[in-house]
Amino acid sequence: MPGFGHRLARYRIEAGAGFRLKHHDPADHGGVDPVAGAALLADGVARLSALQTLLYPQHAWALLCVFQGMDAAGKDGAIGHVMSGVNPQGVSVTSFQAPGPEELAHDFLWRVSRALPKRGQIGIFNRSHYEDVLVVRVHPELLERQHLPASLAGKHVWKHRLADIAAWELYLARQGIVLLKFFLHLSKDEQRRRLLARLDDPDKAWKFSAADLAERQYWDGYQRAYEKAIRATAAPHAPWYVVPADHKWFARLVVVEAMIAALEALGLHRPVIHPAQAEELAAARRLLADEDGR
């Protein structure tokens, strides 16, 4: 996307010191209009598909994309549109719901560790390990279900968890997992419009839950929790993208361009054919060609 790489940097957070969510406009569209944006998104999806064909056969790097956001922020839609052109064999998508008994019997990073992508894959987390410093922080009563020893569940638990996440993400980077974290930054007014649209559309009404309204009452608490999480865990090897989400088409464009930039930075190339392999391929070609003459 000509010229967008420079603009992409405005949404990328590599260092959390001084980060303030209020400095980021959910309605920003980067100076791109919807018509041009649609064309650029289609081009981006094609470019991402081409890069995936280089990532998959090398079995060295993996790309993990974490999606976080308030209800109706567009996580499902962004994932569906951006990944529409890739080979599903090279993608793993995990949606994390409220933890069940088995998950609650383990540490909070256990369930996400089990879902990490294989080398050569693109992994998608729809919600993630951050739920334990977002939802649980806004609703601290949920911490009781996690059976932490009383001495470890005090006022420092959030600081400790954020430090654990930062350390775990550094570990992933050192294992060849490229990590991108997307916070789909939605305004409260736009969430209201989208929730009303769900109620008014028979094809979308099923997506509405009374819990959506209940969580909306904690809007300010969630904004503070997101700000603290981004501030504590943004790093060059694990950047956050604060993606303006009031315009769905633009949010998808930012996501696909960030993924493209990350993969292009790896210097991916076609697998090298060694001389012995070349001889085997030549022999196979001769055999197949000879069949035509029989």
Side-chain angles (χ1 to χ4, degrees):
M1 177 178 176
F4 195 79
H6 174 71
R7 284 179 281 179
L8 187 65
R10 69 197 287 185
Y11 310 112
R12 180 181 171 105
I13 310 299
E14 292 188 352
F19 172 76
R20 293 293 184 274
L21 201 52
K22 66 181 181 181
H23 295 158
H24 296 262
D25 181 6
D28 182 17
H29 52 73
V32 182
D33 65 76
V35 175
L40 291 166
L41 178 59
D43 177 68
V45 168
R47 291 160 62 202
L48 181 61
S49 176
L51 286 164
Q52 186 208 18
T53 65
L54 301 178
L55 175 71
Y56 183 75
Q58 293 193 29
H59 297 291
W61 298 97
L63 175 63
L64 174 61
C65 298
V66 169
F67 287 83
Q68 292 287 158
M70 299 293 288
D71 293 324
K75 296 183 293 296
D76 292 344
I79 293 167
H81 279 77
V82 169
M83 305 304 291
S84 61
V86 302
N87 186 335
Q89 288 185 313
V91 178
S92 63
V93 180
T94 308
S95 295
F96 292 98
Q97 307 299 325
E102 183 179 17
E103 294 165 325
L104 290 170
H106 292 82
D107 64 275
F108 80 98
L109 290 173
W110 179 78
R111 65 173 182 165
V112 288
S113 297
R114 299 175 72 216
L116 288 171
K118 300 175 183 177
R119 299 188 188 279
Q121 278 195 333
I122 297 175
I124 303 292
F125 282 1
N126 189 343
R127 302 189 186 274
S128 67
H129 45 298
Y130 282 94
E131 294 296 285
D132 281 278
V133 291
L134 295 169
V135 176
V136 182
R137 187 168 194 159
V138 172
H139 300 284
E141 67 275 12
L142 296 176
L143 196 62
E144 296 178 7
R145 301 177 59 206
Q146 299 186 5
H147 309 296
L148 282 175
S151 60
L152 300 178
K155 62 180 181 180
H156 297 300
V157 65
W158 310 119
K159 178 181 177 181
H160 292 164
R161 284 197 169 182
L162 289 168
D164 292 338
I165 287 172
W168 184 69
E169 291 178 350
L170 177 58
Y171 165 78
L172 296 184
R174 289 172 172 169
Q175 300 304 309
I177 297 177
V178 178
L179 178 59
L180 302 178
K181 299 173 290 189
F182 299 103
F183 170 51
L184 301 191
H185 185 25
L186 185 71
S187 69
K188 193 173 184 180
D189 285 344
E190 179 60 20
Q191 188 199 52
R192 174 180 172 274
R193 284 189 285 270
R194 292 184 187 180
L195 292 177
L196 282 171
R198 285 183 184 179
L199 290 169
D200 294 337
D201 186 343
D203 292 329
K204 295 183 178 180
W206 65 271
K207 297 180 71 175
F208 184 83
S209 167
D212 296 339
L213 282 183
E215 289 302 279
R216 184 173 164 81
Q217 307 308 309
Y218 297 93
W219 183 274
D220 291 343
Y222 275 109
Q223 300 305 296
R224 289 191 295 270
Y226 270 111
E227 185 173 274
K228 290 176 180 178
I230 293 170
R231 195 180 299 160
T233 63
H237 59 270
W240 276 98
Y241 282 86
V242 179
V243 181
D246 279 10
H247 303 290
K248 292 181 179 180
W249 60 269
F250 185 67
R252 295 162 185 171
L253 182 56
V254 172
V255 169
V256 75
E257 287 293 330
M259 294 175 68
I260 289 169
L263 290 174
E264 287 181 340
L266 299 179
L268 301 171
H269 53 77
R270 292 186 180 87
V272 176
I273 303 298
H274 298 289
Q277 291 175 295
E279 291 179 9
E280 290 179 2
L281 295 175
R285 190 182 189 287
R286 288 193 297 271
L287 287 172
L288 290 170
D290 289 344
E291 288 184 4
D292 190 47
R294 292 178 184 173

